[in-house]
């Protein structure tokens, strides 16, 4: 039996579905996580061949011993995967140590995790990128800003999502930022006025996409995190051709195989140095699925099963799963402490069968996604826009 180690299969909650489909495809699915076995869901338990509990997933020695134990007990490990941004470097280290050839290894990490390194591959793909400067001190920052002007964006060169991302509007703001001890390397970029559009794909063993979709974030995720705002994004009913083209070129530049990917682009909202309004500009790559509940939203939007498509690629190199009717799938994340016009019951009554999920958002995801989520599908963008106006309206 083929052995597949899944790191942190209990988080996010929906990731047990990846394990289920792997098991259905004949894999011996071996979970490693820091959630005690008696606290993981029955769905996950039924999807695993065995679960190894570690007290702390960030303790590499513990996780290494877990992989070594599974190797001793079951033989060769074919895949080690988490599908989680936080563990990408850990996954690569383990593949390197245990000679697992089916994913990125340690020598690949810089190009897939460091924003400054990603730019080289976007450029190789022919996609424009924002100019950047690696932050070392005031003099270098001011020299860079002399070229690009204010505002600028500053964030960790190796970071997750919009965490610790800052917009700096003037020299006093820059000096305020720099007076704090910087714990990691930060990257400064010229500001881009754009709407985030993504290319999401499941890529087969030959580097070809077998499933493609995308999402749009009308408001900036950085602003949501920094301003404690509501969250709104949606899966498109049809992927724009220029995003598809940019995404496929990026796949080739990074030589991606056997992965679920989430590539981020700006669609410019005004003419600027990087292009005309509507042009596509690179933001960053993520070599894992779009976070949180996005895989389920992709299913709702495309009448399909991305968990099975991904597991088929792992098992067989491709998939025969098809998509059905397509919809806009909207995510509305409401922030606690706001006085919303519609109660939860009123939202579900008003939108009825269009509502696919209503749930509290785990605290670890709430900074970017809000505290209470509503996921719904619509045939037209006008219907979806009306949903956002009603659900996020305050008294």
């Amino acid at each position: 039996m083929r052995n597949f180690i899944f790191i942190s299969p209990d988080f996010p909650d929906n990731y047990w579905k990846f394990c289920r489909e792997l098991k259905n495809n004949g894999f011996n699915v071996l979970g490693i996580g820091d959630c005690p076995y008696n606290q993981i869901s029955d769905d996950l338990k039924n999807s695993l061949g065995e679960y190894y509990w570690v007290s702390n997933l960030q303790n590499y020695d513990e996780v290494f011993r877990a992989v070594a134990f599974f190797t001793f007990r079951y033989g060769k490990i074919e895949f080690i995967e988490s599908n989680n941004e936080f563990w990408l470097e850990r996954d690569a280290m383990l593949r390197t140590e245990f000679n697992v050839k089916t994913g990125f290894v340690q020598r690949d990490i810089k190009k897939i995790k460091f924003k400054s390194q990603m730019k080289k591959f976007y450029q190789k793909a022919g996609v424009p990128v924002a100019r950047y400067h690696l932050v070392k001190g005031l003099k270098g920052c001011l020299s860079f800003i002399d070229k690009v002007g204010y505002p600028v964006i500053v964030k960790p060169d190796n970071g997750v999502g919009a965490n610790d991302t800052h917009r700096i509007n003037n020299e006093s703001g820059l000096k305020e930022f720099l007076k704090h001890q910087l714990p990691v390397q930060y990257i400064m970029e010229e500001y881009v006025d754009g709407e985030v559009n993504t290319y999401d794909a499941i890529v087969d063993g030959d580097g070809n996409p077998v499933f493609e979709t995308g999402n749009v974030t009308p408001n900036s995720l950085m602003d949501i995190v920094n301003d404690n705002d509501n969250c709104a994004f949606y899966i498109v009913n049809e992927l724009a051709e220029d995003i598809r083209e940019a995404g496929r070129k990026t796949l080739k530049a990074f030589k991606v195989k056997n992965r679920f990917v989430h590539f981020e682009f700006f669609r410019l909202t005004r003419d600027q140095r990087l292009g005309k309004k509507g042009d596509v500009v690179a933001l960053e790559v993520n070599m894992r699925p779009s976070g949180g509940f996005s895989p389920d939203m992709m299913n709702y939007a495309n009448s399909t099963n991305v968990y099975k498509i991904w597991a088929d690629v792992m098992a067989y190199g491709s998939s025969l799963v098809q998509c059905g009717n397509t919809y806009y799938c909207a995510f509305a994340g409401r922030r606690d402490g706001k006085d919303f016009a519609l109660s939860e019951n009123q939202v579900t009554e008003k939108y009825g069968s269009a509502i696919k999920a209503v749930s509290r958002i785990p605290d670890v995801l709430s900074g970017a996604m809000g505290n209470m989520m509503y996921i719904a599908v619509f045939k037209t963008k006008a219907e979806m826009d009306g949903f956002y106006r009603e659900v996020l309206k305050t008294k």
Side-chain angles (χ1 to χ4, degrees):
M1 184 178 287
R2 302 165 69 186
N3 297 311
F4 195 116
I5 290 180
F6 205 107
I7 306 292
S8 189
D10 61 295
F11 184 84
D13 291 345
N14 49 329
Y15 272 28
W16 71 268
K17 298 175 186 177
F18 286 118
C19 297
R20 175 190 62 192
E21 299 300 341
L22 289 170
K23 182 179 180 180
N24 289 342
N25 282 350
F27 281 107
N28 180 30
V29 188
L30 305 167
I32 301 174
D34 54 11
C35 180
Y37 182 77
N38 62 0
Q39 294 179 25
I40 66 175
S41 70
D42 289 339
D43 287 323
L44 178 55
K45 289 176 183 175
N46 294 332
S47 301
L48 297 176
E50 188 170 350
Y51 181 76
Y52 191 111
W53 174 78
V54 296
S55 64
N56 184 356
L57 273 174
Q58 296 190 59
N59 184 323
Y60 182 74
D61 289 341
E62 279 196 86
V63 180
F64 179 92
R65 287 196 295 271
V67 177
F69 170 79
F70 282 147
T71 302
F72 173 78
R73 183 161 185 170
Y74 296 105
K76 179 175 174 56
I77 305 301
E78 189 168 345
F79 290 90
I80 298 175
E81 188 56 77
S82 66
N83 278 347
N84 191 316
E85 182 75 23
F86 195 80
W87 304 117
L88 286 184
E89 292 181 68
R90 170 65 46 80
D91 297 346
M93 290 174 65
L94 291 168
R95 291 190 200 103
T96 302
E97 296 256 30
F98 288 91
N99 197 31
V100 174
K101 304 293 189 181
T102 50
F104 291 114
V105 292
Q106 271 186 287
R107 66 175 176 267
D108 301 314
I109 284 299
K110 282 191 175 181
K111 74 178 184 182
I112 68 171
K113 285 289 290 175
F114 287 77
K115 296 172 176 61
S116 56
Q117 298 297 313
M118 294 174 189
K119 291 178 182 290
K120 299 174 185 178
F121 292 88
Y122 267 129
Q123 289 173 316
K124 184 178 179 181
V127 183
V129 298
R131 291 171 288 181
Y132 76 97
H133 167 72
L134 292 178
V135 175
K136 292 184 172 65
L138 178 62
K139 183 178 179 180
C141 291
L142 288 174
S143 178
F144 175 72
I145 293 168
D146 280 343
K147 299 174 186 175
V148 303
Y150 289 106
V152 290
I153 300 299
V154 182
K155 53 193 172 184
D157 193 23
N158 179 10
V160 178
N163 292 330
D164 200 15
T165 298
H166 308 268
R167 172 173 166 162
I168 295 176
N169 296 308
N170 49 48
E171 188 171 330
S172 63
L174 175 63
K175 289 178 178 178
E176 177 66 24
F177 173 78
L178 290 174
K179 79 177 186 181
H180 301 287
Q181 182 71 34
L182 301 184
V184 295
Q185 177 65 66
Y186 282 74
I187 183 173
M188 176 179 288
E189 297 178 304
E190 65 180 307
Y191 183 79
V192 179
D193 269 332
E195 175 185 74
V196 176
N197 286 225
T198 76
Y199 173 81
D200 296 84
I202 299 172
V203 187
D204 70 16
D206 295 320
N208 300 311
V210 298
F211 170 80
E212 296 170 301
T213 188
N215 71 48
V216 174
T217 304
N219 51 353
S220 167
L221 186 61
M222 176 186 69
D223 293 338
I224 291 167
V225 173
N226 291 339
D227 300 339
N228 202 33
D229 201 356
N230 300 317
C231 176
F233 71 92
Y234 61 89
I235 307 295
V236 297
N237 68 335
E238 184 176 355
L239 186 62
E241 281 306 313
D242 54 357
I243 295 293
R244 188 190 309 275
E245 180 182 2
R248 289 182 175 183
K249 287 180 177 179
T250 304
L251 286 177
K252 290 182 179 179
F254 279 89
K255 298 181 180 179
V256 180
K257 296 181 181 180
N258 291 315
R259 294 207 71 77
F260 208 140
V261 300
H262 173 65
F263 297 162
E264 298 177 350
F265 301 91
F266 285 117
R267 185 176 297 283
L268 300 183
T269 50
R270 62 173 178 83
D271 293 354
Q272 49 203 285
R273 185 196 69 84
L274 287 163
K276 300 289 187 182
K277 180 179 179 181
D279 285 353
V280 173
V281 173
L283 177 51
E284 63 182 69
V285 298
N286 300 278
M287 297 298 179
R288 43 75 181 172
S290 180
F293 311 94
S294 293
D296 294 296
M297 293 175 62
M298 294 176 195
N299 286 344
Y300 299 140
N302 294 278
S303 304
T304 193
N305 183 347
V306 298
Y307 300 102
K308 177 166 176 52
I309 296 172
W310 176 82
D312 285 353
V313 166
M314 301 298 107
Y316 315 121
S318 192
S319 179
L320 298 177
V321 175
Q322 301 294 309
C323 295
N325 294 330
T326 59
Y327 305 89
Y328 291 93
C329 185
F331 177 98
R334 303 208 301 195
R335 188 72 63 184
D336 287 351
K338 296 180 182 289
D339 191 9
F340 292 100
L342 296 181
S343 67
E344 179 180 323
N345 287 339
Q346 287 172 323
V347 171
T348 55
E349 288 174 6
K350 183 175 180 68
Y351 290 98
S353 61
I355 298 287
K356 295 298 181 182
V358 177
S359 178
R360 290 290 296 179
I361 297 172
D363 289 344
V364 71
L365 299 176
S366 64
M369 304 185 80
N371 304 103
M372 190 75 190
M373 74 166 188
Y374 300 82
I375 294 174
V377 294
F378 302 95
K379 290 184 178 180
T380 69
K381 188 172 184 300
E383 291 175 307
M384 179 179 67
D385 290 343
F387 166 77
Y388 279 130
R389 283 194 298 271
E390 291 295 315
V391 173
L392 299 180
K393 181 169 63 177
T394 56
K395 294 178 182 177

